Amino acid sequence: MTEPTGLRPLPEDWHRALAVVAHPDDLEYGCSAAVAQWTGAGREVAYVLATRGEAGIDTLHPADAAPLREREQRAGAAVVGVSVVEFLDHRDGVVEYGTALRRDIAAAIRRHRPELVITLNHRDTWGGVAWNTPDHVAVGRATLDAAADAGNRWIFPELAERGLEPWDGVRWVAVAGSPTPTHAVAATEAGLEAAVRSLLEHRAYIEALTDQDPESYVREFLTAATGAAGERFGGRPAVAFELFPR
């Protein structure tokens, strides 16, 4: 069996990034340590979420869960220096891949004009072990497609009529949580601590998810994830991405 090759450093010659994921907490579980370091270095990062995560807490009706999870997401984003958080209001749990989702994400890309777009694992599984959710698959795949859609005047021409001119400046799409990563960002001690605090802002969700102490659960999860990526990145804790150049 061939050993996996090492991960390369993610390109750093960019200023604006847009992260597009399905649910509140997706970025906090996926790559907030990298986000904290980027914003700390003066880069601009905005978040766009397809849903408000309203179907994520079994003991809360979606009408009550949605505003709670939105508040937790905004608080978690603020910890890592992100002040712009938008919601597309697709329905949690039944997000459909298709032109409507691609259009919404393309519109967001045109609004924010990023050089780097970030999304979450769009593969069927997490490393061939656990089945991925349909929302992650749909949003990840649509984001990859929308990065090209955003630059084509004749795809979704109604966006230009709304004042959203084409943006063909996306240079890369970076997929966090991919089972086949190619690149990584070193997770500094400060970045990892910010990531822990960011994920802990999702306390209501975490307490519904596990009986473990929230801080222990979060710290163990993020330490394990960055440590596993670091094994292919010179032994340094890291956040791994599958990078698609455009």
Side-chain angles (χ1 to χ4, degrees):
M1 180 177 177
T2 304
E3 289 295 318
T5 57
L7 301 174
R8 290 164 279 168
L10 198 78
E12 295 185 351
D13 54 331
W14 56 271
H15 182 67
R16 288 188 308 276
L18 178 67
V20 184
V21 293
H23 315 108
D25 79 56
D26 283 352
L27 289 162
E28 286 70 32
Y29 274 103
C31 61
S32 58
V35 173
Q37 290 160 208
W38 292 331
T39 60
R43 293 187 173 94
E44 298 175 11
V45 182
Y47 287 180
V48 170
L49 291 90
T51 80
R52 296 179 191 266
E54 67 272 12
I57 299 178
D58 184 65
T59 55
L60 278 182
H61 189 278
D64 299 316
L68 169 63
R69 299 206 68 199
E70 177 182 342
R71 288 194 300 271
E72 290 188 336
Q73 178 59 70
R74 293 189 187 280
V79 169
V80 293
V82 175
S83 59
V84 177
V85 181
E86 300 174 354
F87 296 86
L88 301 179
D89 283 329
H90 288 256
R91 186 179 162 203
D92 187 17
V94 290
V95 178
E96 295 185 17
Y97 173 85
T99 54
L101 182 59
R102 284 170 49 198
R103 182 189 300 111
D104 285 349
I105 298 172
I109 291 170
R110 291 189 183 194
R111 279 197 305 276
H112 294 284
R113 304 174 80 81
E115 300 135 275
L116 173 67
V117 171
I118 302 149
T119 192
L120 195 64
N121 182 20
H122 60 289
R123 311 291 188 185
D124 286 340
T125 66
W126 298 97
V129 178
W131 193 249
N132 201 356
T133 73
D135 284 1
H136 294 151
V137 174
V139 174
R141 181 180 170 192
T143 300
L144 283 159
D145 292 337
D149 296 337
N152 189 320
R153 181 173 301 277
W154 308 117
I155 298 176
F156 311 130
E158 62 272 26
L159 296 181
E161 294 169 5
R162 289 163 38 192
L164 295 171
E165 290 297 320
W167 171 249
D168 197 29
V170 176
R171 298 169 61 192
W172 309 276
V173 179
V175 179
S178 169
T180 54
T182 56
H183 291 69
V185 174
T188 65
E189 184 177 347
L192 187 54
E193 284 303 310
V196 168
R197 289 187 288 112
S198 181
L199 182 50
L200 280 171
E201 292 292 346
H202 295 271
R203 188 167 291 271
Y205 178 73
I206 292 168
E207 288 177 349
L209 188 69
T210 177
D211 291 332
Q212 284 183 254
D213 170 68
E215 183 162 357
S216 297
Y217 165 78
V218 164
R219 192 171 296 279
E220 289 171 11
F221 179 90
L222 293 178
T223 299
T226 55
E231 292 176 3
R232 296 176 56 188
F233 199 60
R236 299 167 291 172
V239 179
F241 298 90
E242 182 176 8
L243 193 68
F244 293 90
R246 290 204 63 259

